Amino acid sequence: MKSHFVCGMIWRWNDEISEVEFLVIDSVSTDRRTGQTSPKQTKFPGGCNRVSDEPLEVTLQREVLEETYLACLPNHSKKVWEKKVSEEHVKYGFLIAADACRGELRKEPLNDNGDNMSPPYWEAVSTLKYKLFDGHQGPFLKALEYLEYRGLV
C-alpha cells in the first residue's frame, strides 16, 4: 500500500509579541513491541493516510481535527514541503492560516494509538526552532521561507 504522511502547520500573527506562532503538540510515544517511551517531542499535528487512495487534503483535515479539534476549511492549505522517503511513502507539510480553521482547541490530553499528546498550544517561532522535533524541522523551515516571502517572519 502506498502511504503518505502529512503535517499541518497552523500559524497566526501575535501582535503582542510581534511574531508568528505555530500550533504544536507535545507528544510522548510508546513503542508497542518494547513498551519503551520516547522523550517528549514537540510536533505539528499530523499523521498518515488510512487507506491507499485517501487524498492528501482529507488526511490533513482528518489528522488536524483528531489532534486539535479544529476543522480546516477545504482548499485553504498550502503544500510547502514534500519529501519522498521511498517508492511507497511520501511526507508532506502544509501551511494553514489560523483564520482558516474553525472550532475550539482541545483542552485535555489525548492518547492516540500509544502517543500521549498534550493539548495543542501556540509557540512563537523564536522558541519553537529550538524545541521542535527533528523530523518536523524540514517542513518548518519551508513554512518560514513561504511566510518570509510575504513579510510575516
Side-chain angles (χ1 to χ4, degrees):
M1 172 174 118
K2 289 200 178 227
S3 65
H4 58 259
F5 170 87
V6 299
C7 69
M9 297 173 287
I10 302 169
W11 69 277
R12 70 179 184 187
W13 178 261
N14 183 329
D15 279 331
E16 290 179 23
I17 61 172
S18 298
E19 196 171 348
V20 168
E21 296 177 313
F22 283 92
L23 192 63
V24 293
I25 297 168
D26 291 333
S27 177
V28 175
S29 300
T30 303
D31 186 304
R32 292 182 192 158
R33 293 168 291 135
T34 66
Q36 289 203 281
T37 57
S38 71
K40 179 177 81 170
Q41 299 170 330
T42 302
K43 299 179 175 183
F44 297 116
C48 291
N49 55 312
R50 297 231 173 110
V51 293
S52 60
D53 61 348
E54 182 176 62
L56 290 175
E57 184 80 18
V58 171
T59 305
L60 177 65
Q61 289 179 355
R62 178 179 49 73
E63 288 292 336
V64 168
L65 182 63
E66 287 174 359
E67 295 183 9
T68 68
Y69 292 3
L70 294 178
C72 300
L73 297 173
N75 304 314
H76 281 75
S77 61
K78 172 75 177 161
K79 183 172 66 170
V80 295
W81 181 81
E82 181 175 334
K83 180 180 180 182
K84 186 175 183 178
V85 177
S86 70
E87 289 299 318
E88 298 297 315
H89 188 70
V90 182
K91 295 181 178 184
Y92 301 92
F94 288 87
L95 195 56
I96 307 163
D99 62 6
C101 299
R102 301 292 182 267
E104 265 190 60
L105 284 175
R106 178 172 55 81
K107 293 176 175 60
E108 317 79 31
L110 175 71
N111 184 296
D112 182 24
N113 293 320
D115 291 340
N116 290 311
M117 298 182 196
S118 73
Y121 62 95
W122 294 101
E123 186 75 35
V125 166
S126 58
T127 55
L128 184 57
K129 63 184 174 185
Y130 298 110
K131 66 186 273 188
L132 189 63
F133 173 62
D134 285 347
H136 288 212
Q137 287 288 339
F140 176 62
L141 293 173
K142 284 297 184 185
L144 292 180
E145 263 181 46
Y146 185 85
L147 292 173
E148 281 185 72
Y149 294 142
R150 279 133 193 88
L152 294 168
V153 177

